[in-house]
Structures are given as structure tokens and as C-alpha cells.
């Protein structure tokens, strides 16, 4: 077995070690990297800018705690953007595990910074089982699907919700998802009720949603941590996503290096093996 | 060229006339009308689609031969179960991680029935971890039925299909742990998968299992292709139960689906041409849903 | 009977939802969809109980029979009930109950579950690197094209890579976004999405009409 053959059969734990170091090191020695803005992220910003100040909007926390690194910076930047425009924010989640809690924690934290009052400026509807049923049901009556908010307060007792019977009163939807619920927001809510919406999603899901952006079903798209970093820059609140880009940069470079190394090992190792056979 | 332009104009004209008729006073949407005339395009599609599927199913029932192309991933299922039997190791089947209201999960459960029948015949242990209670109920029903049909009811264990965890990564960790401990000879992943696809497939690869995957999630396909031996892509997953059953009634539906696909392709091409000649707006409006 | 009744329920539910779509809300037929979706959320809520019963039974049996790893199964059982029971008790009794900030549920969620989930997701980076190193080979023309495209896209998605790409003439990042992501990628995604949607619609129809019964273990 020659060197390249050995390299090709390298124990995967070496790869894991290299990835670990590439993630940790940039947090100790941060790299200040300029981030360019893609047209899709610019559209997200422009669309939110277009909403009349004081409108009612929906911010959907359709992501699990596992993708917090990619999705939460989007939610925080969106809340900065909405609260700055004095929009009334309704949050909800189609994720049973953590969705409502994350919406609660993030929104309350941001609301405090902008002196917003619960029930008047923002409401957390929480979670209800069966996203297809929930999304289509809210088209007729939000109250029939969510009789109470996340903490059990009846919707009639929340001034914001008395003026929002269904999607007709919602000016804009910002869907942040790490799963296929984004598809249903398009096929049920956009297709049937025409509410303008944008989507923030994980890097792995983003390529799928380019076609939704091209068809105008999503007005803009934030893809992964890069998309979140772009939006943070546009909103003017550089935070976790911008910081995380250093680690992401290094890991991408490492993967490219590994792919090249793997191919060199594959070809040279094969050559050596053929020689041995001759 | 002139002739083509003329033909295009005629096509668009017919389209506009059809649209006008549908929105004319006879069909006009008034506040007290109960029917959503604005959704007539969707109704037409539903009718055409259903009729086509039913027609093909009928032809299939009458014995008309229908050709189905080979799907290597499905042909490999029996061979893979056989391998597990020879090695004396279990078969792992994951019907995705979505709820039962997801059509991909139903497709996965349908395939599970077929796989369970083979494992029952070979008397090979089967393990089916699930993430949702409803999938658990459906999975248990399907596997039990498969064992009964194979005449091996005594071999059926209720915990063959078991609820593992409602959380995505707790589920993944359990399944990965099982793979590394029990080293199943064959792993079959059929249904809706998300971020765990690569975690499962890579662990299965490390455990040396033969792996067959199928999902309609385009974003997860690259991961399965990289780490599995066979991958069913998109609609192949939905075709699987019909393909494995080899029943003409089921394959009829697949042929009907292909016919609709041809119709859609024609519409797309027509749309592209019309847009190029500046008549796209009217044509597109025929397909817009409300 | 065991087949006919479920098929009948599937048929009625499916047809009602399809027909209701074409009727105005506020009419009896139009409102049926809403009625059915509310039922679905209620029935779905009850099914969660099934999961608790199943996981308890499987683990409890293993503990009782002292199967391999039974001690871990005790931990699983403790974890299930430690999280579930305080969350359903009334917060009026104690601030530790319920799901509000400061409750047991909230603590366990925020400081145990959430980091564990994020850690599991983060292991993807390790697996992707390992899979890329092992499986990404320029074995054929198609594989080479895929490899080159993937490398370019990975470079484009990071600031350092973008800087590197900009060293070359022509606006490579723009070309990648327009032609690879907005062109080739989009076309392929649409192809798969349309195919999968048709497959799903066809399967739904087969289920509604009772042609496809394999999901019940029949046929």
C-alpha cells in the first residue's frame, strides 16, 4: 500500500479533528471578512421596507433548536426590522418541540429593546398540531385554530388579535424554516390567499427555494448562515451570523481541500496499485 | 414564421375566449354565489387528472400491457434482505421522519408492507423505528398484516415497529446507536427525510450495511446518493409500492401520471414560446390559482 | 369490515376536502374544510399519547426483563416523565410547573435539550466532510462536472472564496448565482418538484379512491 492509497483510506477521525479545529479556531482568532449581498437577500430587505409602517405581520418560527445557528440570527434581524417600522408582530410555530419557546424568548427579548407591549405590539400564538390543517384553517379564522395564545390567554383579551381575524389582515409573512413547512406556506397560504411572503432557510434547503423566488411565490430568500449574515448587514445589526461566517469559511475551504486530496489519492493510489499488479 | 405567429395568435385567442367565458356573467362571481368560479382552472385540472388516472387504471384492469421501466433500487430490495438472511443480521427500515399526513410517509409505509413480507418469508428480523405515534400505529398494522399474509404470524413481534423519539436528532441518535451496535446488514430509508439523512446514511455506511434510500426531498437526495448504494428519486418513491406489488391496477395509476406529465411538459413548452412572443401574460393567467 | 370502514373514511374525508376547496367560505360546503381541519388537530393531539404509551412499554419491558442496556432505559423513562409531568401541571401551583420561563420544562429545554439538538445537528459538518472526502471522486465526466460546480459554489458562499473568485476576469459570483443557482439548479429542482408533486397527487387519488390500500397492510 503506497502513501496515496493510505491517504485514501485515512481514518475518518482525522477528518473530524480537522473539521473541529476549523470551527473552533476562528472563534478564538476571528477573521474580519467582508460579506457581499446577493439579490435574494436584498429582496428580503426591500420587501420588508415596502410594508407600510404599523402593519400587522407574521413571523413564523418553523425551525428546531438544532438549526438555531442558521435560523435564529434571521429571526432576530427580522424583529429588528419589524419593530423599527412599528409593525405588529404575530409569531407562531409549526414545530412542537421548541418552536413556541424560541419564538417567546427571542421576541420578548427584542420587544424589550424596542419597548413593545405584549398583546398590543406582538403576540405569540404558539403551536398547534397538523401544519396543513393549521395553515389552511387560519385562512378562515385564526381564532378557530388558536383559541388562545401560547400562554393560554384567550385571543379576545389581546387587543392586537381582535383586529386580525384571518390572513386578510396580515400584510406580510416572514417564514423561517429548516424543513418542508415553507412549501406549505407557499402552496396553501400564498396560493390561496396571496399574502406576500419571504423565506429564511438553512443552507441545505436554500437551492430548492430558488424556483419559488423566481416564480414570485417567495419575494426573497435567505439561505443559511450566509443569508442571515447578509440580512444582518442590511438591517444594520451585525451579530451571530456575521461572526459565524469566519468558521463557515474555514470549514468550506477544508472540505474543498479534502475533496482535492481525496481525488489526488484516488488517482495516484490507483496508479500505484496498477503498477504493483504489473 | 408568419404562419407560426398566426397559429400562436389563434391559440392565445382561444385561451382568452375561454377565460372570458369562464368569467362571463353566466359564471360571474357574486357575493352570494356559493361556487368559486375563480378556481375553475384548478377544477379542470382535478377532473382531467382524475379521469386520466382512472382511465389508465381501468385499461390496466382489462389486461392492457403497460410498460414500467426498471428501478434498480427496488429490484435490489429482495437481494438486500436475502443478504441480511445469509449474514444472520437484521434489516433496518426507516419510513422517514414525517407525520402520517405526509404522502411520502404513506409511500414509505406502503413499501414497508412489501419489505416486511419478504423479511417474514426469509424469517429475518426487522426493525422499524418511527418518530410519530400515528406512523407507529400504521406501521404496526402493516407489518402484522404482512406477517399474516406470509403465514408467519407467530414470528411477528409487536415491537418490530417502535416509537423511538419525537425529536429529530434524538431519533437519529437512537437509530445510529442501533446501527453501530446491531450492525444491520441492510438499511432501507423510504419517506421524508431532512437533516438526519446524511447522519443516518453515513453511519450505515460506516457500519458496512447495504443501503437503499428513497425520498421526494430534492435537498436530501445528494446526501443519500453519496452514502447509499441505491437511491429512489422523487416520484420513484411514490411509484415504489405499485412497482413492488406488480399489480396492474396500481401500475395503471403510474401510467396516468406519466400522461399528465406529458401534458404539463406541453403546457410549459407552449408557455415558454408564448412568453417569447409576448403573449405570455394571458396564458399564465389561465394557470394562476386564487 | 376492517378494510371497508377505513377506506370509506378516507374516501369521504378526501372528497369533502377537495369539493370544499371549490366552494365559498361561509357556505355549508365551503366551511366543511375548516370543520375537518379542526377535527384533524384534535385527533392528532390525542395520538401523541400513543407515542408515550409505546415508548414507555418498550423501555419498561426491557427494564423488567433486564435486557442489555436496561440501565439506560431507566434514564430514558426518567427523562420522559421529568419533562412531561411538570409541563402539564398548572403553573398556579408552583412557578416550576407549566412551560413558562423559569419552569422545569423551560430549564430542561433551554439548557439541556436545545444544546443537545444543536450539537447533533452540528455533527453534520463532520459527516459532510468525511462523505465528501470519501465519495466525491472525478470518476466520470458527470462526476467531474458535479465536483467542479460544488467547489465553485462552496467558494462563492464564503467571503474568502468570493474574494478569490473575484481575482479572475468576469463576475464569477454573479455568473454562479445567475446560471448555476438560478439556472441549472432551479431547472433540476423544478423537474423533481413537479414529478414528486404529481406522484403525490396520484398516490393521494389512489388512496381516496381505495385503489391503494398498502398503507393499511392490504393489497
Amino acid at each position: 500500500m503506497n502513501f496515496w492509497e493510505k491517504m485514501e483510506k485515512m481514518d475518518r477521525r482525522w477528518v473530524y479533528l480537522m473539521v473541529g479545529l476549523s470551527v473552533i479556531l476562528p472563534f478564538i482568532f476571528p477573521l474580519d471578512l467582508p460579506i457581499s449581498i446577493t439579490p435574494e437577500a436584498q429582496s428580503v430587505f426591500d420587501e420588508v421596507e415596502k410594508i407600510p409602517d404599523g402593519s400587522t405581520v407574521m413571523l413564523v418560527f418553523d425551525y428546531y433548536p438544532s438549526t438555531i445557528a442558521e435560523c435564529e440570527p434571521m429571526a432576530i434581524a427580522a424583529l429588528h426590522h419589524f419593530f423599527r417600522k412599528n409593525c405588529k408582530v404575530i409569531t407562531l410555530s409549526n414545530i412542537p418541540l421548541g418552536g413556541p419557546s424560541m419564538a417567546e424568548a427571542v421576541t420578548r427579548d427584542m420587544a424589550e429593546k424596542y419597548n413593545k407591549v405584549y398583546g398590543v405590539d406582538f403576540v405569540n400564538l404558539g403551536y398547534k398540531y397538523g401544519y396543513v390543517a393549521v395553515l389552511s384553517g387560519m385562512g378562515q379564522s385564526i381564532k378557530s385554530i388558536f383559541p388562545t395564545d401560547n400562554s393560554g390567554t384567550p385571543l379576545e383579551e389581546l387587543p392586537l388579535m381582535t383586529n386580525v381575524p384571518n390572513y386578510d389582515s396580515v400584510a406580510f409573512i416572514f417564514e423561517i424554516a429548516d424543513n418542508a413547512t415553507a412549501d406549505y406556506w407557499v402552496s396553501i397560504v400564498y396560493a390561496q390567499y396571496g399574502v406576500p411572503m419571504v423565506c429564511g432557510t438553512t443552507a441545505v434547503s436554500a437551492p430548492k427555494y430558488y424556483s419559488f423566488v423566481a416564480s414570485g411565490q417567495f419575494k426573497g430568500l435567505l439561505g443559511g448562515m450566509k443569508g442571515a449574515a447578509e440580512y444582518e448587514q442590511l438591517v444594520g445589526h451585525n451579530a451571530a451570523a456575521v461572526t459565524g461566517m469566519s468558521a463557515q469559511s474555514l470549514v468550506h475551504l477544508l472540505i474543498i481541500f479534502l475533496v482535492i486530496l481525496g481525488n489526488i489519492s484516488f488517482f495516484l493510489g490507483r496508479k500505484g496499485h496498477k503498477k504493483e499488479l504489473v | 414564421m408568419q404562419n407560426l405567429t398566426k397559429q400562436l395568435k389563434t391559440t392565445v385567442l382561444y385561451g382568452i375566449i375561454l377565460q372570458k367565458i369562464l368569467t362571463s356573467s353566466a359564471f360571474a362571481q357574486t357575493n352570494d354565489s356559493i361556487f368559486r368560479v375563480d378556481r375553475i382552472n384548478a377544477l379542470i385540472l382535478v377532473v382531467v387528472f382524475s379521469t386520466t388516472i382512472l382511465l389508465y387504471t381501468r385499461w390496466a384492469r382489462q389486461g392492457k400491457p403497460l410498460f414500467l421501466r426498471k428501478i434498480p433500487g427496488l429490484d435490489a430490495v429482495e437481494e438486500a434482505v436475502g443478504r441480511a438472511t445469509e449474514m444472520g443480521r437484521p434489516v433496518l427500515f426507516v419510513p422517514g421522519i414525517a407525520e402520517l399526513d405526509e404522502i411520502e410517509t404513506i409511500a414509505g409505509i406502503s413499501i414497508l408492507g412489501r419489505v416486511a413480507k419478504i423479511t417474514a418469508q426469509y424469517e429475518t428480523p426487522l426493525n422499524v423505528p418511527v418518530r410519530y405515534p400515528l406512523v407507529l400505529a400504521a406501521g404496526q398494522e402493516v407489518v402484522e398484516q404482512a406477517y399474516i399474509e406470509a403465514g408467519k404470524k407467530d414470528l411477528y413481534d409487536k415491537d418490530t415497529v417502535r416509537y423511538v423519539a419525537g425529536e429529530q436528532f434524538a431519533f437519529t441518535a437512537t437509530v445510529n446507536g442501533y446501527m453501530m451496535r446491531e450492525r444491520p446488514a441492510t438499511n432501507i430509508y423510504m419517506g421524508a427525510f431532512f437533516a438526519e439523512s446524511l447522519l443516518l446514511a453515513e453511519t450505515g455506511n460506516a457500519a458496512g450495511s447495504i443501503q437503499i434510500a428513497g425520498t421526494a426531498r430534492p435537498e436530501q437526495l445528494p446526501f443519500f446518493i453519496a452514502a447509499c448504494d441505491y437511491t429512489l428519486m422523487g416520484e420513484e418513491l411514490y411509484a415504489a409500492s405499485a412497482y413492488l406489488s406488480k399489480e396492474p391496477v396500481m401500475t395503471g395509476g403510474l401510467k396516468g401520471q406519466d400522461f399528465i406529465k406529458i401534458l404539463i411538459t406541453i403546457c410549459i413548452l407552449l408557455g415558454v414560446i408564448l412568453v417569447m412572443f409576448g403573449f405570455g401574460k394571458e396564458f399564465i393567467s389561465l394557470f394562476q390559482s386564487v | 369490515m376492517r378494510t371497508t370502514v377505513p377506506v370509506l373514511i378516507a374516501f369521504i374525508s378526501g372528497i369533502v376536502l377537495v369539493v370544499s376547496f371549490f366552494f365559498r367560505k361561509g357556505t355549508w360546503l365551503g366551511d366543511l374544510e375548516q370543520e375537518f381541519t379542526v377535527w384533524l388537530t384534535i385527533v392528532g393531539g390525542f395520538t401523541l399519547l400513543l407515542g408515550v404509551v409505546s415508548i414507555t412499554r418498550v423501555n419498561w419491558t426491557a427494564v423488567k426483563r433486564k435486557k442489555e442496556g436496561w440501565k439506560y432505559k431507566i434514564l430514558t423513562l426518567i427523562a420522559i416523565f421529568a419533562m412531561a409531568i411538570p409541563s402539564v401541571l398548572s403553573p398556579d401551583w408552583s412557578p416550576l410547573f407549566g412551560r413558562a420561563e423559569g419552569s422545569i420544562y423551560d430549564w430542561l429545554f433551554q439548557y439541556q435539550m436545545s444544546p443537545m439538538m444543536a450539537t447533533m445537528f452540528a455533527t453534520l459538518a463532520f459527516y459532510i466532510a468525511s462523505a465528501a472526502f470519501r465519495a466525491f471522486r472525478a470518476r466520470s465526466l458527470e462526476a467531474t462536472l458535479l465536483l467542479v460546480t460544488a467547489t465553485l459554489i462552496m467558494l462563492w458562499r464564503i467571503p474568502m472564496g468570493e474574494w478569490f473568485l473575484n481575482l479572475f476576469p468576469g463576475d464569477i459570483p454573479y455568473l454562479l448565482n445567475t446560471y448555476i443557482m438560478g439556472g441549472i439548479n432551479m431547472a433540476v429542482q423544478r423537474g423533481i418538484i413537479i414529478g414528486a408533486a404529481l406522484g403525490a397527487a396520484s398516490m393521494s387519488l389512489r388512496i381516496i379512491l381505495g385503489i391503494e390500500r398498502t398503507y393499511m397492510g392490504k393489497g
Side-chain angles (χ1 to χ4, degrees):
Chain A
M1 194 185 273
N2 66 20
F3 170 76
W4 293 109
E5 276 181 295
K6 273 186 202 160
M7 191 55 91
E8 203 194 345
K9 291 192 171 72
M10 179 168 63
D11 191 327
R12 59 183 88 203
R13 281 172 294 189
W14 286 110
V15 176
Y16 297 163
L17 180 70
M18 284 188 263
V19 175
L21 288 174
S22 309
V23 173
I24 295 164
L25 287 177
F27 282 103
I28 303 166
F29 310 105
L31 310 162
D32 193 15
L33 302 162
I35 295 160
S36 64
I37 309 293
T38 54
E40 291 75 23
Q42 185 67 51
S43 303
V44 171
F45 180 79
D46 294 343
E47 286 298 321
V48 178
E49 279 296 294
K50 262 193 240 165
I51 312 166
D53 287 5
S55 306
T56 303
V57 297
M58 265 185 184
L59 178 62
V60 191
F61 287 69
D62 279 349
Y63 60 89
Y64 285 91
S66 48
T67 54
I68 272 183
E70 284 181 289
C71 297
E72 196 165 276
M74 296 176 192
I76 293 172
L79 282 167
H80 272 298
H81 209 170
F82 287 142
F83 283 149
R84 210 163 63 191
K85 289 173 68 67
N86 287 319
C87 290
K88 312 281 179 205
V89 182
I90 299 169
T91 61
L92 68 137
S93 178
N94 291 295
I95 303 296
L97 207 96
S101 309
M102 287 187 295
E104 190 85 29
V106 173
T107 317
R108 281 198 191 267
D109 186 39
M110 293 301 299
E112 217 174 277
K113 286 181 185 148
Y114 285 87
N115 293 322
K116 300 291 177 186
V117 181
Y118 186 79
V120 179
D121 300 305
F122 70 103
V123 162
N124 181 15
L125 293 178
Y127 162 82
K128 272 283 166 333
Y129 173 87
Y131 46 82
V132 174
V134 169
L135 300 195
S136 61
M138 284 199 297
Q140 201 175 349
S141 160
I142 294 177
K143 214 176 89 178
S144 70
I145 300 294
F146 292 98
T148 63
D149 72 352
N150 189 44
S151 49
T153 314
L155 290 201
E156 326 51 286
E157 290 174 22
L158 301 165
L160 168 57
M161 294 314 294
T162 51
N163 303 321
V164 189
N166 50 35
Y167 294 128
D168 291 344
S169 315
V170 177
F172 189 80
I173 296 172
F174 200 127
E175 156 79 342
I176 304 175
D178 62 2
N179 56 76
T181 42
D183 301 21
Y184 294 97
W185 279 98
V186 167
S187 62
I188 296 171
V189 183
Y190 182 79
Q192 291 183 35
Y193 302 96
V195 187
M197 56 179 74
V198 295
C199 176
T201 186
T202 51
V204 74
S205 305
K208 178 180 169 188
Y209 294 112
Y210 269 77
S211 53
F212 290 76
V213 177
S215 59
Q217 289 162 309
F218 279 139
K219 306 291 176 201
L221 176 71
L222 302 177
M225 194 179 278
K226 168 80 169 20
E230 291 171 38
Y231 190 45
E232 275 183 358
Q233 279 203 334
L234 287 165
V235 174
H237 284 274
N238 287 4
V242 172
T243 316
M245 280 312 289
S246 302
Q248 184 158 322
S249 294
L250 233 61
V251 176
H252 273 215
L253 289 177
L254 174 71
I255 292 177
I256 292 169
F257 165 74
L258 285 172
V259 168
I260 295 169
L261 184 73
N263 276 282
I264 294 173
S265 313
F266 174 65
F267 287 109
L268 293 182
R270 210 168 50 168
K271 231 182 204 173
H273 184 62
K274 266 184 195 163
K275 259 185 201 165
E276 271 172 34
L277 286 177
V278 170
Chain B
M1 189 67 192
Q2 250 184 351
N3 208 8
L4 180 71
T5 317
K6 204 175 159 189
Q7 278 179 2
L8 280 174
K9 279 186 178 168
T10 321
T11 314
V12 174
L13 193 69
Y14 281 134
I16 296 168
I17 291 170
L18 181 69
Q19 199 190 24
K20 292 286 173 208
I21 291 170
L22 295 177
T23 51
S24 68
S25 56
F27 288 89
Q29 179 82 57
T30 55
N31 282 339
D32 48 4
S33 75
I34 60 162
F35 187 69
R36 294 283 303 254
V37 180
D38 49 344
R39 286 181 176 172
I40 198 110
N41 48 7
L43 181 64
I44 292 170
L45 185 71
V46 169
V47 171
V48 172
F49 189 79
S50 313
T51 313
T52 313
I53 302 269
L54 290 176
L55 265 180
Y56 271 95
T57 307
R58 193 188 153 107
W59 287 335
R61 220 174 240 158
Q62 286 168 351
K64 201 177 164 190
L66 297 170
F67 169 75
L68 273 189
R69 74 175 164 86
K70 285 247 164 222
I71 304 178
L74 291 174
D75 291 336
V77 167
E78 189 152 358
E79 191 189 314
V81 177
R83 179 179 181 257
T85 315
E86 279 169 22
M87 295 171 82
R89 291 212 215 129
V91 172
L92 172 75
F93 188 102
V94 186
I97 64 153
E99 230 328 0
L100 199 60
D101 59 1
E102 198 69 58
I103 202 83
E104 278 175 271
T105 311
I106 298 183
I109 292 289
S110 297
I111 302 165
L112 170 64
R114 305 285 168 203
V115 173
K117 214 177 258 179
I118 304 172
T119 57
Q121 279 158 0
Y122 289 156
E123 300 187 5
T124 308
L126 173 69
N127 195 317
V128 188
V130 299
R131 191 185 158 207
Y132 284 102
L134 267 186
V135 183
L136 169 81
Q140 283 178 335
E141 179 79 21
V142 164
V143 173
E144 186 178 3
Q145 195 62 34
Y147 274 73
I148 292 170
E149 278 175 27
K152 302 279 169 73
K153 190 170 189 272
D154 47 321
L155 286 181
Y156 173 70
D157 174 8
K158 207 170 181 193
D159 292 331
T160 298
V161 186
R162 61 197 175 98
Y163 175 83
V164 165
E167 198 282 309
Q168 181 185 21
F169 290 110
F171 175 86
T172 311
T174 316
V175 179
N176 281 357
Y178 169 80
M179 279 189 218
M180 294 314 285
R181 282 191 304 273
E182 305 289 326
R183 304 216 169 237
T186 305
N187 300 335
I188 304 173
Y189 314 105
M190 296 283 170
F193 288 90
F194 303 91
E196 73 293 336
S197 60
L198 186 65
L199 298 180
L200 294 173
E202 259 293 281
T203 311
N205 187 292
S209 315
I210 186 167
Q211 305 199 98
I212 304 169
T215 187
R217 308 271 150 189
E219 67 275 22
Q220 302 305 333
L221 283 170
F223 300 131
F224 278 141
I225 291 168
C228 293
D229 299 276
Y230 298 96
T231 308
L232 306 186
M233 290 193 258
E235 66 209 282
E236 285 179 347
L237 172 72
Y238 303 117
S241 63
Y243 186 92
L244 287 171
S245 74
K246 296 188 174 66
E247 282 172 31
V249 181
M250 301 270 278
T251 49
L254 296 185
K255 298 306 285 184
Q257 192 182 315
D258 283 351
F259 180 78
I260 295 293
K261 211 189 286 175
I262 293 168
L263 278 186
I264 288 179
T265 311
I266 292 169
C267 285
I268 290 172
L269 289 175
L270 197 65
V272 169
I273 295 166
L274 287 172
V275 167
M276 278 163 63
F277 286 91
F279 304 116
K281 250 186 185 169
E282 290 83 356
F283 186 73
I284 290 167
S285 69
L286 291 175
F287 296 90
Q288 264 163 351
S289 58
V290 183
Chain C
M1 189 69 177
R2 278 191 74 188
T3 312
T4 316
V5 173
V7 166
L8 206 66
I9 292 173
F11 176 77
I12 293 169
S13 311
I15 291 292
V16 161
L17 287 175
V18 172
V19 170
S20 178
F21 179 78
F22 298 105
F23 286 86
R24 186 166 269 283
K25 304 285 177 221
T27 61
W28 179 75
L29 270 167
D31 286 348
L32 270 182
E33 184 190 355
Q34 183 77 5
E35 231 14 83
F36 270 61
T37 50
V38 172
W39 285 9
L40 183 68
T41 52
I42 296 168
V43 174
F46 278 105
T47 61
L48 294 175
L49 208 63
L50 263 179
V52 179
V53 171
S54 167
I55 198 165
T56 310
R57 204 192 56 230
V58 169
N59 285 288
W60 180 242
T61 313
V63 172
K64 233 172 38 183
R65 292 183 190 160
K66 299 234 162 121
K67 275 188 185 174
E68 196 191 332
W70 63 276
K71 286 172 192 161
Y72 301 112
K73 299 195 188 297
I74 294 180
L75 281 180
T76 308
L77 289 168
I78 293 172
I80 293 166
F81 294 107
M83 191 116 183
I85 295 171
S87 77
V88 293
L89 295 178
S90 170
D92 298 337
W93 300 346
S94 162
L96 293 175
F97 298 152
R99 281 169 295 166
E101 216 177 324
S103 62
I104 293 175
Y105 174 88
D106 183 60
W107 269 80
L108 287 172
F109 177 77
Q110 296 284 354
Y111 304 110
Q112 227 181 349
M113 250 191 111
S114 207
M116 284 197 296
M117 286 169 82
T119 309
M120 278 297 288
F121 186 71
T123 54
L124 254 183
F126 297 88
Y127 281 64
I128 285 175
S130 149
F133 176 65
R134 214 190 52 251
F136 236 16
R137 296 279 187 269
R139 282 196 176 95
S140 60
L141 177 68
E142 291 92 335
T144 313
L145 279 175
L146 196 72
L147 203 144
V148 172
T149 316
T151 308
L152 286 173
I153 295 293
M154 277 198 288
L155 279 174
W156 166 57
R157 294 300 288 177
I158 53 168
M160 255 189 262
E162 207 171 4
W163 167 83
F164 174 73
L165 291 174
N166 279 327
L167 293 178
F168 298 94
D171 193 348
I172 297 178
Y174 169 78
L175 294 176
L176 287 173
N177 195 26
T178 311
Y179 294 105
I180 304 288
M181 295 306 285
I184 300 166
N185 160 64
M186 200 161 77
V188 172
Q189 298 279 354
R190 279 183 173 165
I192 298 175
I193 291 169
I194 291 173
L198 277 177
S202 163
M203 187 150 180
S204 306
L205 190 71
R206 294 203 304 259
I207 291 169
I208 291 173
L209 297 177
I211 299 168
E212 170 90 56
R213 297 170 185 195
T214 46
Y215 68 99
M216 292 187 289
K218 306 285 189 301

